[in-house]
Amino acid sequence: MPPLLQRALIGHHVRPHSYLRPATTNAVLGGSRLLVGGCWGRRMWPLVLWALLAAQAGAVLSPPPPKEAARMARYVLHACDWGALATLSAQDELRGRPFANVFSLSDGPAGPGRGSGVPYLYLTDLEVSVRDLQVNANASLTVSLAQTPYCKKNKYDPQNPLCAHIIFAGTVVKVSDTESGLAKQALFTRHPEMESWPRDHNWFFAKFNITNIWVLDYFGGLKIVTPEDYYSVKP
């Protein structure tokens, strides 16, 4: 039996051996073949499936150890569907002052090992922060595990260093035609609503070009990660 499924069943007070019966139903879960049979097996199948999915979701939310700062940065970005993007305002009443805004983002389709590390964005010139970027493309981007169930599950306040957050600095640029397919797949698989947004807003794909990375995932202060280490690490 897959260990992940065994833990899930025990967590829901189901004896792991009790769902196995002489085979009447064949199924493959998590790369292992399970034989679920008889009337009882058919009744329990929804619970077995639900328990496995719940366990898998919990596994996805287990971050790497703090000593692996580059992997932590990749992990947190991929776990988040949105981030806080800070620009230097071009608005008359705020010119030159920081202006933070929330944007949906994605570095790839959901799932372990599927993130590219590149934060992709879907933008329009009608957005006030995009107008800032047209004047000065420099920006910072913050993502945090507080945006996932992980910190609440572990009772970590969002400001607690154990509730890891990452700060990126760099520039926001339109993606090239050759990269637009990657950006589209990354964003539309995580944010399907985007496909129905008004076409007359002239949406375009952009990315955050990372130049600096700071990781806060443990006590003792920020850790600096180079873009080279960030992109070369296996997430």
Side-chain angles (χ1 to χ4, degrees):
M1 179 190 302
L4 199 59
L5 178 56
Q6 183 172 347
R7 291 196 299 270
L9 291 171
I10 291 173
H12 293 279
H13 310 291
V14 178
R15 288 174 297 174
H17 65 273
S18 66
Y19 78 100
L20 296 174
R21 291 292 186 271
T24 58
T25 302
N26 246 338
V28 176
L29 283 178
S32 298
R33 186 168 297 279
L34 306 179
L35 304 179
V36 184
C39 181
W40 185 93
R42 286 190 292 274
R43 288 198 304 270
M44 289 303 296
W45 181 249
L47 174 60
V48 172
L49 181 60
W50 181 88
L52 180 64
L53 292 174
Q56 286 177 327
V60 170
L61 291 173
S62 298
K67 64 180 180 180
E68 300 182 28
R71 278 191 64 218
M72 180 67 80
R74 292 284 298 269
Y75 175 88
V76 175
L77 176 68
H78 188 61
C80 295
D81 290 326
W82 58 274
L85 184 75
T87 57
L88 292 173
S89 180
Q91 303 174 62
D92 289 338
E93 63 273 27
L94 293 174
R95 190 169 299 277
R97 294 164 64 183
F99 187 83
N101 205 346
V102 170
F103 285 89
S104 298
L105 56 79
S106 172
D107 79 329
R114 304 192 71 188
S116 66
V118 179
Y120 288 111
L121 305 154
Y122 197 43
L123 304 177
T124 169
D125 292 339
L126 300 176
E127 164 58 53
V128 63
S129 296
V130 176
R131 295 175 183 172
D132 295 342
L133 294 168
Q134 291 169 343
V135 176
N136 187 335
N138 287 288
S140 67
L141 174 68
T142 301
V143 289
S144 167
L145 285 183
Q147 299 163 227
T148 75
Y150 176 79
C151 296
K152 283 189 177 180
K153 177 182 176 182
N154 289 281
K155 296 182 171 57
Y156 296 150
D157 186 88
Q159 201 169 328
N160 184 330
L162 299 179
C163 183
H165 72 267
I166 316 300
I167 304 168
F168 299 99
T171 57
V172 178
V173 298
K174 289 185 179 181
V175 302
S176 64
D177 291 341
T178 56
E179 197 175 358
S180 62
L182 291 174
K184 181 177 181 178
Q185 182 190 35
L187 286 161
F188 286 10
T189 54
R190 301 275 289 267
H191 305 279
E193 178 190 321
M194 287 179 170
E195 292 192 74
S196 65
W197 288 357
R199 295 189 181 277
D200 61 2
H201 283 34
N202 296 317
W203 298 94
F204 61 90
F205 296 107
K207 67 179 178 181
F208 194 96
N209 260 343
I210 299 170
T211 58
N212 304 84
I213 305 165
W214 295 270
V215 176
L216 185 62
D217 62 352
Y218 202 69
F219 306 102
L222 289 164
K223 302 167 187 172
I224 296 175
V225 174
T226 66
E228 293 76 18
D229 287 345
Y230 173 80
Y231 283 116
S232 64
V233 75
K234 184 178 180 180

Short mmCIF file of all heavy atoms in Angstrom, two decimals, residues 35-102:
data_model
loop_
_atom_site.label_atom_id
_atom_site.label_comp_id
_atom_site.label_asym_id
_atom_site.label_seq_id
_atom_site.Cartn_x
_atom_site.Cartn_y
_atom_site.Cartn_z
N LEU A 35 -6.50 -2.99 -5.17
CA LEU A 35 -7.61 -3.87 -5.48
C LEU A 35 -8.71 -3.61 -4.48
O LEU A 35 -8.59 -3.92 -3.30
CB LEU A 35 -7.15 -5.34 -5.41
CG LEU A 35 -5.96 -5.68 -6.31
CD1 LEU A 35 -5.57 -7.14 -6.14
CD2 LEU A 35 -6.28 -5.37 -7.76
N VAL A 36 -9.76 -2.98 -4.94
CA VAL A 36 -10.87 -2.61 -4.06
C VAL A 36 -12.08 -3.40 -4.50
O VAL A 36 -12.58 -3.22 -5.62
CB VAL A 36 -11.16 -1.10 -4.15
CG1 VAL A 36 -12.26 -0.72 -3.18
CG2 VAL A 36 -9.90 -0.31 -3.84
N GLY A 37 -12.55 -4.29 -3.64
CA GLY A 37 -13.57 -5.20 -4.12
C GLY A 37 -14.80 -5.25 -3.25
O GLY A 37 -14.83 -4.74 -2.14
N GLY A 38 -15.82 -5.91 -3.78
CA GLY A 38 -17.04 -6.15 -3.04
C GLY A 38 -17.86 -4.91 -2.84
O GLY A 38 -17.48 -3.81 -3.19
N CYS A 39 -19.04 -5.11 -2.22
CA CYS A 39 -19.96 -4.00 -1.97
C CYS A 39 -19.31 -2.98 -1.04
O CYS A 39 -19.41 -1.78 -1.25
CB CYS A 39 -21.25 -4.55 -1.37
SG CYS A 39 -22.48 -3.28 -1.04
N TRP A 40 -18.61 -3.46 -0.01
CA TRP A 40 -17.94 -2.56 0.94
C TRP A 40 -16.92 -1.71 0.21
O TRP A 40 -16.82 -0.51 0.43
CB TRP A 40 -17.26 -3.37 2.04
CG TRP A 40 -16.66 -2.53 3.11
CD1 TRP A 40 -17.25 -2.14 4.27
CD2 TRP A 40 -15.35 -1.95 3.12
NE1 TRP A 40 -16.40 -1.36 5.00
CE2 TRP A 40 -15.22 -1.22 4.32
CE3 TRP A 40 -14.29 -1.97 2.22
CZ2 TRP A 40 -14.06 -0.54 4.65
CZ3 TRP A 40 -13.13 -1.28 2.55
CH2 TRP A 40 -13.03 -0.58 3.75
N GLY A 41 -16.14 -2.34 -0.67
CA GLY A 41 -15.12 -1.62 -1.39
C GLY A 41 -15.70 -0.49 -2.21
O GLY A 41 -15.15 0.61 -2.27
N ARG A 42 -16.84 -0.74 -2.85
CA ARG A 42 -17.45 0.30 -3.67
C ARG A 42 -17.95 1.45 -2.81
O ARG A 42 -17.90 2.60 -3.21
CB ARG A 42 -18.59 -0.29 -4.51
CG ARG A 42 -18.09 -1.13 -5.68
CD ARG A 42 -19.23 -1.49 -6.61
NE ARG A 42 -20.18 -2.41 -6.00
CZ ARG A 42 -20.03 -3.75 -6.02
NH1 ARG A 42 -18.97 -4.29 -6.57
NH2 ARG A 42 -20.92 -4.52 -5.45
N ARG A 43 -18.44 1.11 -1.61
CA ARG A 43 -18.90 2.17 -0.72
C ARG A 43 -17.75 3.01 -0.20
O ARG A 43 -17.87 4.21 0.01
CB ARG A 43 -19.69 1.58 0.47
CG ARG A 43 -21.06 1.03 0.11
CD ARG A 43 -21.90 0.90 1.37
NE ARG A 43 -21.26 0.07 2.38
CZ ARG A 43 -21.42 -1.25 2.48
NH1 ARG A 43 -22.18 -1.89 1.61
NH2 ARG A 43 -20.80 -1.92 3.43
N MET A 44 -16.60 2.36 0.04
CA MET A 44 -15.47 3.05 0.63
C MET A 44 -14.61 3.78 -0.39
O MET A 44 -13.79 4.60 -0.03
CB MET A 44 -14.59 2.06 1.40
CG MET A 44 -15.22 1.54 2.68
SD MET A 44 -15.66 2.89 3.81
CE MET A 44 -14.05 3.55 4.19
N TRP A 45 -14.81 3.46 -1.68
CA TRP A 45 -13.95 4.04 -2.70
C TRP A 45 -13.90 5.58 -2.66
O TRP A 45 -12.82 6.15 -2.73
CB TRP A 45 -14.39 3.55 -4.07
CG TRP A 45 -13.55 4.08 -5.20
CD1 TRP A 45 -13.90 4.96 -6.15
CD2 TRP A 45 -12.17 3.77 -5.44
NE1 TRP A 45 -12.86 5.22 -6.99
CE2 TRP A 45 -11.78 4.51 -6.57
CE3 TRP A 45 -11.23 2.95 -4.82
CZ2 TRP A 45 -10.50 4.44 -7.09
CZ3 TRP A 45 -9.96 2.89 -5.34
CH2 TRP A 45 -9.61 3.63 -6.46
N PRO A 46 -15.04 6.28 -2.50
CA PRO A 46 -14.94 7.74 -2.42
C PRO A 46 -14.07 8.22 -1.26
O PRO A 46 -13.32 9.17 -1.40
CB PRO A 46 -16.40 8.18 -2.25
CG PRO A 46 -17.19 7.07 -2.85
CD PRO A 46 -16.43 5.83 -2.51
N LEU A 47 -14.16 7.54 -0.09
CA LEU A 47 -13.35 7.93 1.05
C LEU A 47 -11.87 7.69 0.77
O LEU A 47 -11.01 8.51 1.09
CB LEU A 47 -13.78 7.16 2.30
CG LEU A 47 -12.90 7.39 3.55
CD1 LEU A 47 -12.90 8.86 3.94
CD2 LEU A 47 -13.38 6.53 4.71
N VAL A 48 -11.57 6.53 0.16
CA VAL A 48 -10.17 6.22 -0.16
C VAL A 48 -9.59 7.28 -1.09
O VAL A 48 -8.49 7.79 -0.88
CB VAL A 48 -10.08 4.82 -0.81
CG1 VAL A 48 -8.66 4.58 -1.33
CG2 VAL A 48 -10.45 3.74 0.20
N LEU A 49 -10.36 7.62 -2.13
CA LEU A 49 -9.88 8.61 -3.09
C LEU A 49 -9.72 9.97 -2.41
O LEU A 49 -8.71 10.65 -2.59
CB LEU A 49 -10.86 8.71 -4.26
CG LEU A 49 -10.49 9.70 -5.36
CD1 LEU A 49 -9.15 9.33 -5.98
CD2 LEU A 49 -11.57 9.73 -6.44
N TRP A 50 -10.72 10.37 -1.63
CA TRP A 50 -10.66 11.67 -0.96
C TRP A 50 -9.47 11.72 -0.01
O TRP A 50 -8.75 12.72 0.06
CB TRP A 50 -11.95 11.92 -0.19
CG TRP A 50 -11.97 13.24 0.51
CD1 TRP A 50 -12.39 14.45 0.01
CD2 TRP A 50 -11.53 13.50 1.84
NE1 TRP A 50 -12.22 15.43 0.94
CE2 TRP A 50 -11.70 14.90 2.07
CE3 TRP A 50 -11.00 12.72 2.86
CZ2 TRP A 50 -11.37 15.48 3.28
CZ3 TRP A 50 -10.66 13.32 4.07
CH2 TRP A 50 -10.86 14.68 4.27
N ALA A 51 -9.24 10.64 0.76
CA ALA A 51 -8.14 10.61 1.72
C ALA A 51 -6.79 10.74 1.02
O ALA A 51 -5.89 11.42 1.49
CB ALA A 51 -8.20 9.33 2.54
N LEU A 52 -6.66 10.06 -0.13
CA LEU A 52 -5.40 10.14 -0.86
C LEU A 52 -5.15 11.55 -1.37
O LEU A 52 -4.06 12.09 -1.26
CB LEU A 52 -5.40 9.16 -2.04
CG LEU A 52 -4.12 9.15 -2.87
CD1 LEU A 52 -2.94 8.70 -2.03
CD2 LEU A 52 -4.26 8.28 -4.10
N LEU A 53 -6.20 12.16 -1.93
CA LEU A 53 -6.04 13.52 -2.44
C LEU A 53 -5.70 14.49 -1.32
O LEU A 53 -4.88 15.39 -1.49
CB LEU A 53 -7.32 13.96 -3.16
CG LEU A 53 -7.62 13.22 -4.47
CD1 LEU A 53 -8.98 13.66 -5.01
CD2 LEU A 53 -6.54 13.47 -5.51
N ALA A 54 -6.32 14.32 -0.16
CA ALA A 54 -6.03 15.19 0.97
C ALA A 54 -4.59 15.03 1.43
O ALA A 54 -3.90 15.99 1.75
CB ALA A 54 -6.99 14.87 2.13
N ALA A 55 -4.12 13.77 1.44
CA ALA A 55 -2.74 13.52 1.85
C ALA A 55 -1.76 14.11 0.86
O ALA A 55 -0.74 14.68 1.23
CB ALA A 55 -2.51 12.02 1.99
N GLN A 56 -2.07 13.99 -0.42
CA GLN A 56 -1.20 14.56 -1.44
C GLN A 56 -1.13 16.08 -1.32
O GLN A 56 -0.08 16.68 -1.47
CB GLN A 56 -1.69 14.17 -2.84
CG GLN A 56 -1.39 12.72 -3.17
CD GLN A 56 -1.95 12.32 -4.52
OE1 GLN A 56 -3.00 12.82 -4.94
NE2 GLN A 56 -1.27 11.42 -5.20
N ALA A 57 -2.29 16.70 -1.04
CA ALA A 57 -2.30 18.16 -0.86
C ALA A 57 -1.42 18.56 0.31
O ALA A 57 -0.67 19.53 0.24
CB ALA A 57 -3.74 18.66 -0.64
N GLY A 58 -1.47 17.79 1.40
CA GLY A 58 -0.62 18.09 2.53
C GLY A 58 0.84 17.94 2.19
O GLY A 58 1.69 18.70 2.63
N ALA A 59 1.16 16.91 1.36
CA ALA A 59 2.56 16.69 0.99
C ALA A 59 3.09 17.84 0.17
O ALA A 59 4.24 18.24 0.30
CB ALA A 59 2.68 15.37 0.21
N VAL A 60 2.26 18.40 -0.71
CA VAL A 60 2.69 19.51 -1.54
C VAL A 60 3.06 20.70 -0.69
O VAL A 60 3.93 21.48 -1.03
CB VAL A 60 1.57 19.87 -2.55
CG1 VAL A 60 1.88 21.17 -3.26
CG2 VAL A 60 1.40 18.75 -3.58
N LEU A 61 2.40 20.83 0.48
CA LEU A 61 2.62 22.00 1.33
C LEU A 61 3.71 21.78 2.36
O LEU A 61 3.72 22.39 3.41
CB LEU A 61 1.30 22.39 2.01
CG LEU A 61 0.24 22.93 1.06
CD1 LEU A 61 -1.07 23.13 1.80
CD2 LEU A 61 0.69 24.24 0.45
N SER A 62 4.65 20.86 2.11
CA SER A 62 5.78 20.66 2.99
C SER A 62 7.00 21.33 2.37
O SER A 62 7.56 20.83 1.40
CB SER A 62 6.04 19.16 3.18
OG SER A 62 4.93 18.54 3.80
N PRO A 63 7.42 22.48 2.89
CA PRO A 63 8.53 23.21 2.28
C PRO A 63 9.87 22.52 2.52
O PRO A 63 10.01 21.70 3.43
CB PRO A 63 8.48 24.57 2.97
CG PRO A 63 7.82 24.30 4.27
CD PRO A 63 6.85 23.19 4.04
N PRO A 64 10.88 22.87 1.72
CA PRO A 64 12.22 22.33 1.94
C PRO A 64 12.82 22.88 3.22
O PRO A 64 12.31 23.86 3.78
CB PRO A 64 13.00 22.81 0.71
CG PRO A 64 12.26 24.00 0.21
CD PRO A 64 10.82 23.76 0.55
N PRO A 65 13.90 22.29 3.74
CA PRO A 65 14.51 22.79 4.98
C PRO A 65 15.10 24.17 4.78
O PRO A 65 15.50 24.54 3.67
CB PRO A 65 15.61 21.74 5.26
CG PRO A 65 15.87 21.07 3.96
CD PRO A 65 14.57 21.08 3.21
N PRO A 66 15.18 24.97 5.85
CA PRO A 66 15.65 26.35 5.75
C PRO A 66 17.05 26.49 5.16
O PRO A 66 17.37 27.52 4.56
CB PRO A 66 15.61 26.85 7.20
CG PRO A 66 14.59 26.00 7.85
CD PRO A 66 14.69 24.65 7.21
N LYS A 67 17.90 25.48 5.32
CA LYS A 67 19.27 25.60 4.79
C LYS A 67 19.31 25.61 3.27
O LYS A 67 20.31 25.99 2.67
CB LYS A 67 20.14 24.45 5.32
CG LYS A 67 19.71 23.07 4.85
CD LYS A 67 20.61 21.98 5.41
CE LYS A 67 20.17 20.60 4.94
NZ LYS A 67 21.04 19.53 5.47
N GLU A 68 18.20 25.22 2.62
CA GLU A 68 18.13 25.19 1.16
C GLU A 68 17.36 26.42 0.67
O GLU A 68 16.22 26.32 0.21
CB GLU A 68 17.50 23.89 0.68
CG GLU A 68 18.27 22.65 1.11
CD GLU A 68 17.66 21.37 0.57
OE1 GLU A 68 17.00 21.40 -0.49
OE2 GLU A 68 17.82 20.33 1.23
N ALA A 69 17.99 27.58 0.78
CA ALA A 69 17.30 28.84 0.53
C ALA A 69 16.84 28.97 -0.92
O ALA A 69 15.76 29.50 -1.19
CB ALA A 69 18.20 30.01 0.91
N ALA A 70 17.64 28.54 -1.87
CA ALA A 70 17.26 28.66 -3.27
C ALA A 70 16.04 27.78 -3.57
O ALA A 70 15.10 28.22 -4.25
CB ALA A 70 18.42 28.26 -4.18
N ARG A 71 16.04 26.57 -3.03
CA ARG A 71 14.87 25.70 -3.22
C ARG A 71 13.65 26.28 -2.54
O ARG A 71 12.53 26.17 -3.04
CB ARG A 71 15.15 24.30 -2.66
CG ARG A 71 15.92 23.39 -3.60
CD ARG A 71 15.93 21.96 -3.10
NE ARG A 71 14.59 21.40 -3.07
CZ ARG A 71 14.14 20.59 -2.12
NH1 ARG A 71 14.91 20.24 -1.10
NH2 ARG A 71 12.91 20.11 -2.18
N MET A 72 13.85 26.90 -1.38
CA MET A 72 12.72 27.52 -0.67
C MET A 72 12.10 28.62 -1.51
O MET A 72 10.87 28.74 -1.60
CB MET A 72 13.18 28.07 0.68
CG MET A 72 12.08 28.72 1.49
SD MET A 72 10.83 27.53 2.05
CE MET A 72 11.67 26.83 3.47
N ALA A 73 12.95 29.43 -2.14
CA ALA A 73 12.43 30.51 -2.98
C ALA A 73 11.60 29.95 -4.14
O ALA A 73 10.51 30.46 -4.43
CB ALA A 73 13.58 31.36 -3.51
N ARG A 74 12.11 28.91 -4.78
CA ARG A 74 11.37 28.30 -5.88
C ARG A 74 10.07 27.69 -5.38
O ARG A 74 9.01 27.79 -6.03
CB ARG A 74 12.24 27.23 -6.54
CG ARG A 74 13.45 27.75 -7.29
CD ARG A 74 13.06 28.36 -8.62
NE ARG A 74 12.45 27.41 -9.51
CZ ARG A 74 13.12 26.66 -10.39
NH1 ARG A 74 14.43 26.76 -10.49
NH2 ARG A 74 12.48 25.82 -11.18
N TYR A 75 10.14 27.04 -4.23
CA TYR A 75 8.96 26.37 -3.66
C TYR A 75 7.85 27.37 -3.34
O TYR A 75 6.69 27.17 -3.69
CB TYR A 75 9.37 25.62 -2.39
CG TYR A 75 8.21 25.01 -1.66
CD1 TYR A 75 7.76 23.73 -1.97
CD2 TYR A 75 7.54 25.72 -0.67
CE1 TYR A 75 6.67 23.18 -1.31
CE2 TYR A 75 6.45 25.18 -0.01
CZ TYR A 75 6.03 23.91 -0.34
OH TYR A 75 4.94 23.37 0.31
N VAL A 76 8.22 28.46 -2.65
CA VAL A 76 7.20 29.43 -2.22
C VAL A 76 6.56 30.09 -3.43
O VAL A 76 5.34 30.24 -3.49
CB VAL A 76 7.80 30.48 -1.27
CG1 VAL A 76 6.77 31.55 -0.92
CG2 VAL A 76 8.30 29.81 0.02
N LEU A 77 7.38 30.48 -4.41
CA LEU A 77 6.79 31.10 -5.60
C LEU A 77 5.80 30.17 -6.28
O LEU A 77 4.69 30.58 -6.64
CB LEU A 77 7.89 31.50 -6.59
CG LEU A 77 7.35 32.08 -7.91
CD1 LEU A 77 6.67 33.43 -7.68
CD2 LEU A 77 8.45 32.21 -8.95
N HIS A 78 6.18 28.91 -6.44
CA HIS A 78 5.30 27.98 -7.15
C HIS A 78 4.02 27.69 -6.36
O HIS A 78 2.97 27.41 -6.95
CB HIS A 78 6.03 26.67 -7.43
CG HIS A 78 5.27 25.75 -8.33
ND1 HIS A 78 4.90 26.09 -9.61
CD2 HIS A 78 4.77 24.50 -8.12
CE1 HIS A 78 4.23 25.08 -10.16
NE2 HIS A 78 4.12 24.12 -9.26
N ALA A 79 4.11 27.78 -5.03
CA ALA A 79 2.94 27.50 -4.18
C ALA A 79 1.92 28.64 -4.22
O ALA A 79 0.76 28.45 -3.86
CB ALA A 79 3.37 27.25 -2.75
N CYS A 80 2.34 29.82 -4.66
CA CYS A 80 1.48 31.00 -4.61
C CYS A 80 0.83 31.31 -5.96
O CYS A 80 1.49 31.20 -7.00
CB CYS A 80 2.28 32.21 -4.13
SG CYS A 80 2.88 32.06 -2.43
N ASP A 81 -0.41 31.73 -5.91
CA ASP A 81 -1.15 32.12 -7.11
C ASP A 81 -1.16 33.62 -7.34
O ASP A 81 -1.64 34.09 -8.37
CB ASP A 81 -2.60 31.64 -7.02
CG ASP A 81 -2.71 30.13 -7.14
OD1 ASP A 81 -1.91 29.53 -7.87
OD2 ASP A 81 -3.61 29.55 -6.49
N TRP A 82 -0.68 34.38 -6.37
CA TRP A 82 -0.66 35.83 -6.50
C TRP A 82 0.48 36.40 -5.67
O TRP A 82 1.08 35.69 -4.85
CB TRP A 82 -2.00 36.45 -6.06
CG TRP A 82 -2.40 36.13 -4.65
CD1 TRP A 82 -3.09 35.03 -4.22
CD2 TRP A 82 -2.13 36.91 -3.47
NE1 TRP A 82 -3.27 35.08 -2.85
CE2 TRP A 82 -2.70 36.22 -2.37
CE3 TRP A 82 -1.48 38.12 -3.25
CZ2 TRP A 82 -2.62 36.70 -1.06
CZ3 TRP A 82 -1.40 38.60 -1.95
CH2 TRP A 82 -1.98 37.90 -0.88
N GLY A 83 0.77 37.65 -5.90
CA GLY A 83 1.83 38.30 -5.15
C GLY A 83 1.58 39.79 -5.03
O GLY A 83 0.70 40.35 -5.69
N ALA A 84 2.35 40.44 -4.17
CA ALA A 84 2.28 41.89 -4.00
C ALA A 84 3.41 42.52 -4.81
O ALA A 84 4.58 42.29 -4.51
CB ALA A 84 2.39 42.27 -2.53
N LEU A 85 3.04 43.27 -5.82
CA LEU A 85 4.00 43.92 -6.71
C LEU A 85 4.10 45.39 -6.33
O LEU A 85 3.09 46.10 -6.33
CB LEU A 85 3.56 43.78 -8.16
CG LEU A 85 4.51 44.32 -9.22
CD1 LEU A 85 5.70 43.39 -9.39
CD2 LEU A 85 3.78 44.50 -10.56
N ALA A 86 5.30 45.83 -5.99
CA ALA A 86 5.52 47.23 -5.62
C ALA A 86 6.26 47.95 -6.73
O ALA A 86 7.33 47.52 -7.16
CB ALA A 86 6.30 47.33 -4.32
N THR A 87 5.67 49.05 -7.19
CA THR A 87 6.27 49.88 -8.24
C THR A 87 6.62 51.25 -7.67
O THR A 87 6.24 51.58 -6.54
CB THR A 87 5.28 50.05 -9.41
OG1 THR A 87 4.06 50.62 -8.89
CG2 THR A 87 4.95 48.71 -10.07
N LEU A 88 7.31 52.04 -8.46
CA LEU A 88 7.53 53.44 -8.11
C LEU A 88 6.47 54.25 -8.86
O LEU A 88 6.44 54.28 -10.09
CB LEU A 88 8.94 53.88 -8.51
CG LEU A 88 10.05 53.21 -7.69
CD1 LEU A 88 11.42 53.56 -8.25
CD2 LEU A 88 9.96 53.61 -6.22
N SER A 89 5.60 54.88 -8.10
CA SER A 89 4.40 55.48 -8.67
C SER A 89 4.72 56.59 -9.67
O SER A 89 5.62 57.41 -9.47
CB SER A 89 3.50 56.02 -7.57
OG SER A 89 2.33 56.60 -8.12
N ALA A 90 3.92 56.58 -10.75
CA ALA A 90 3.98 57.67 -11.73
C ALA A 90 2.77 58.58 -11.61
O ALA A 90 2.61 59.51 -12.40
CB ALA A 90 4.05 57.08 -13.14
N GLN A 91 1.91 58.31 -10.61
CA GLN A 91 0.75 59.17 -10.38
C GLN A 91 1.22 60.52 -9.83
O GLN A 91 2.14 60.58 -9.02
CB GLN A 91 -0.20 58.52 -9.38
CG GLN A 91 -0.70 57.13 -9.80
CD GLN A 91 -1.52 56.49 -8.70
OE1 GLN A 91 -2.57 56.99 -8.31
NE2 GLN A 91 -1.05 55.36 -8.18
N ASP A 92 0.58 61.58 -10.27
CA ASP A 92 1.02 62.93 -9.88
C ASP A 92 1.11 63.10 -8.37
O ASP A 92 2.08 63.66 -7.85
CB ASP A 92 0.08 63.98 -10.47
CG ASP A 92 0.23 64.11 -11.99
OD1 ASP A 92 1.31 63.73 -12.50
OD2 ASP A 92 -0.72 64.58 -12.64
N GLU A 93 0.08 62.61 -7.67
CA GLU A 93 0.05 62.84 -6.23
C GLU A 93 0.98 61.90 -5.45
O GLU A 93 1.21 62.11 -4.25
CB GLU A 93 -1.38 62.70 -5.70
CG GLU A 93 -2.01 61.33 -5.87
CD GLU A 93 -2.70 61.14 -7.22
OE1 GLU A 93 -2.30 61.82 -8.19
OE2 GLU A 93 -3.64 60.32 -7.28
N LEU A 94 1.53 60.89 -6.13
CA LEU A 94 2.40 59.92 -5.45
C LEU A 94 3.73 59.74 -6.17
O LEU A 94 4.47 58.80 -5.86
CB LEU A 94 1.70 58.55 -5.38
CG LEU A 94 0.46 58.42 -4.51
CD1 LEU A 94 -0.16 57.05 -4.69
CD2 LEU A 94 0.81 58.65 -3.04
N ARG A 95 4.06 60.59 -7.09
CA ARG A 95 5.20 60.36 -7.98
C ARG A 95 6.49 60.03 -7.20
O ARG A 95 6.89 60.75 -6.29
CB ARG A 95 5.43 61.60 -8.85
CG ARG A 95 6.44 61.37 -9.97
CD ARG A 95 6.44 62.52 -10.95
NE ARG A 95 5.15 62.71 -11.59
CZ ARG A 95 4.74 62.02 -12.65
NH1 ARG A 95 5.53 61.10 -13.17
NH2 ARG A 95 3.55 62.26 -13.18
N GLY A 96 7.08 58.89 -7.61
CA GLY A 96 8.34 58.46 -7.02
C GLY A 96 8.21 57.70 -5.72
O GLY A 96 9.22 57.22 -5.18
N ARG A 97 6.98 57.55 -5.21
CA ARG A 97 6.79 56.85 -3.95
C ARG A 97 6.37 55.41 -4.21
O ARG A 97 5.77 55.09 -5.24
CB ARG A 97 5.75 57.58 -3.10
CG ARG A 97 6.22 58.96 -2.66
CD ARG A 97 5.08 59.83 -2.17
NE ARG A 97 4.44 59.31 -0.97
CZ ARG A 97 3.38 59.87 -0.40
NH1 ARG A 97 2.86 60.99 -0.92
NH2 ARG A 97 2.87 59.36 0.68
N PRO A 98 6.66 54.48 -3.27
CA PRO A 98 6.30 53.07 -3.48
C PRO A 98 4.79 52.91 -3.55
O PRO A 98 4.04 53.56 -2.83
CB PRO A 98 6.87 52.38 -2.24
CG PRO A 98 7.90 53.32 -1.70
CD PRO A 98 7.42 54.69 -2.03
N PHE A 99 4.36 52.01 -4.43
CA PHE A 99 2.94 51.74 -4.61
C PHE A 99 2.77 50.23 -4.81
O PHE A 99 3.19 49.69 -5.83
CB PHE A 99 2.42 52.51 -5.83
CG PHE A 99 0.92 52.44 -6.01
CD1 PHE A 99 0.08 53.29 -5.32
CD2 PHE A 99 0.36 51.51 -6.87
CE1 PHE A 99 -1.29 53.23 -5.48
CE2 PHE A 99 -1.02 51.45 -7.06
CZ PHE A 99 -1.85 52.31 -6.35
N ALA A 100 2.19 49.57 -3.82
CA ALA A 100 2.03 48.11 -3.86
C ALA A 100 0.65 47.73 -4.35
O ALA A 100 -0.34 48.39 -4.03
CB ALA A 100 2.29 47.51 -2.49
N ASN A 101 0.58 46.67 -5.13
CA ASN A 101 -0.67 46.23 -5.72
C ASN A 101 -0.64 44.70 -5.81
O ASN A 101 0.44 44.10 -5.86
CB ASN A 101 -0.82 46.84 -7.12
CG ASN A 101 -2.27 46.95 -7.55
OD1 ASN A 101 -3.15 46.35 -6.96
ND2 ASN A 101 -2.50 47.71 -8.61
N VAL A 102 -1.81 44.09 -5.85
CA VAL A 102 -1.91 42.63 -5.92
C VAL A 102 -2.11 42.18 -7.36
O VAL A 102 -2.94 42.73 -8.09
CB VAL A 102 -3.08 42.13 -5.04
CG1 VAL A 102 -3.36 40.66 -5.29
CG2 VAL A 102 -2.77 42.37 -3.57
#
